[in-house]
Amino acid sequence: MKLPFNLYRVYLPTDIIAAFYPFIISWFLKKKMAVLNKKEFLLLFLCAFIVFSGFSRYLIVVFLTGLALMLYYSNLNKKYIGAFAAIMLFISTIFSKALLSFLKLRFLSKATKASDMVRLQQTAVILDLFKKSPLLGSGIGAFSYRCIRSLTNPFSYEEQILSFFPKFGVLGMAIFFTLIIYVFTKFLKRRELFSIFYLALFLFSGWFNPYLYSSTVVLLYVFIFVLLNSENKFERRNHAV
């Protein structure tokens, strides 16, 4: 399957936000802070376009998982669910050949294997770079000339979490993982299993793509901050009522 204008994929820097949009809506639905309406449904279709045209296997799976959770937590009017299902079925039927071709290309093709091979090559390069300064690291802009995917951002690797080790060293990564453990512990004490799943899925993206530090992802960090700080406020409000 070919995209229009001979494009292989459409890269949008906001694709990870679009992929996690159903998770954000799911959290608000779970807290009874929102209901699904026409605006959310329109945004869902827009996010679906962004995610699927972006061709990221990881984000496609994330989006579909979040979509299932969103429908699960919503006390949605059946006419909206029916309309959404009918539209998706209609689109899938009309473009069934293109859809099958898309799935085969993105998950089973030689291009996919070549993409995975690049990540394996990055792993070896990053580990060699880490050995040069294992304790303190070489700084946030550290990169190796042996493997550069972007001339404008040579420090950017798909294996992003692994690339943090040569950047921050053992001491820096100890702080990094301490912060992560602290956040997970806070969620665990509150039995916020949904939030734990959301954050784990987000962090897991760093093993495949350079998402974890960028200007666009700041919105997801803001949402995680809201998750951490809002629980007590909601509890006090519910007790007051």
Side-chain angles (χ1 to χ4, degrees):
M1 183 192 75
K2 290 185 178 180
L3 294 173
F5 310 109
N6 293 318
L7 293 174
Y8 172 71
R9 65 186 297 181
V10 178
Y11 173 75
L12 295 172
T14 57
D15 54 2
I16 189 171
I17 297 175
F20 277 90
Y21 173 74
F23 276 91
I24 295 173
I25 296 299
S26 298
W27 186 83
F28 283 107
L29 291 171
K30 182 176 181 292
K31 295 295 182 182
K32 310 297 183 184
M33 294 174 59
V35 294
L36 285 179
N37 54 38
K38 294 179 182 179
K39 184 188 298 183
E40 276 77 23
F41 268 101
L42 288 175
L43 284 174
L44 272 178
F45 283 109
L46 176 61
C47 290
F49 171 78
I50 293 173
V51 170
F52 283 93
S53 61
F55 250 39
S56 169
R57 289 168 289 169
Y58 177 79
L59 294 186
I60 290 171
V61 173
V62 167
F63 180 81
L64 293 176
T65 304
L67 184 62
L69 281 173
M70 189 192 72
L71 294 175
Y72 174 79
Y73 284 119
S74 65
N75 293 318
L76 195 61
N77 190 314
K78 291 183 179 180
K79 68 178 182 180
Y80 285 120
I81 295 180
F84 182 77
I87 293 172
M88 296 305 295
L89 181 62
F90 175 76
I91 294 174
S92 300
T93 302
I94 296 298
F95 299 102
S96 58
K97 291 184 179 179
L99 182 60
L100 290 174
S101 177
F102 169 83
L103 293 174
K104 183 178 179 181
L105 175 64
R106 198 62 195 103
F107 289 90
L108 300 173
S109 68
K110 292 181 180 179
T112 297
K113 294 179 181 178
S115 178
D116 293 337
M117 185 58 65
V118 169
R119 288 173 170 82
L120 291 175
Q121 293 171 351
Q122 284 184 5
T123 299
V125 170
I126 290 170
L127 290 176
D128 288 342
L129 185 62
F130 170 69
K131 293 176 183 177
K132 293 182 179 180
S133 182
L135 185 61
L136 298 177
S138 302
I140 195 169
F143 69 94
S144 173
Y145 287 100
R146 288 170 51 197
C147 187
I148 296 177
R149 293 297 305 276
S150 170
L151 294 177
T152 55
N153 298 302
F155 53 84
S156 180
Y157 292 98
E158 279 81 357
E159 295 281 351
Q160 188 173 50
I161 288 183
L162 190 62
S163 76
F164 285 171
F165 282 88
K167 297 176 190 297
F168 307 129
V170 173
L171 291 180
M173 292 307 294
I175 297 172
F176 176 76
F177 285 117
T178 298
L179 290 173
I180 291 175
I181 292 171
Y182 169 77
V183 172
F184 275 101
T185 301
K186 294 282 284 187
F187 284 149
L188 193 60
K189 287 182 178 178
R190 299 171 182 173
R191 298 183 180 179
E192 280 284 327
L193 299 182
F194 176 87
S195 302
I196 291 173
F197 178 62
Y198 167 87
L199 184 55
L201 203 60
F202 172 61
L203 290 172
F204 197 55
S205 68
W207 290 110
F208 306 107
N209 294 286
Y211 287 132
L212 298 184
Y213 60 84
S214 69
S215 58
T216 56
V217 178
V218 69
L219 293 177
L220 289 176
Y221 287 121
V222 169
F223 180 65
I224 291 170
F225 177 80
V226 171
L227 291 180
L228 279 171
N229 290 277
S230 59
E231 185 70 13
N232 290 334
K233 294 180 181 179
F234 296 136
E235 286 182 354
R236 287 198 298 268
R237 184 184 301 174
N238 291 334
H239 285 310
V241 173

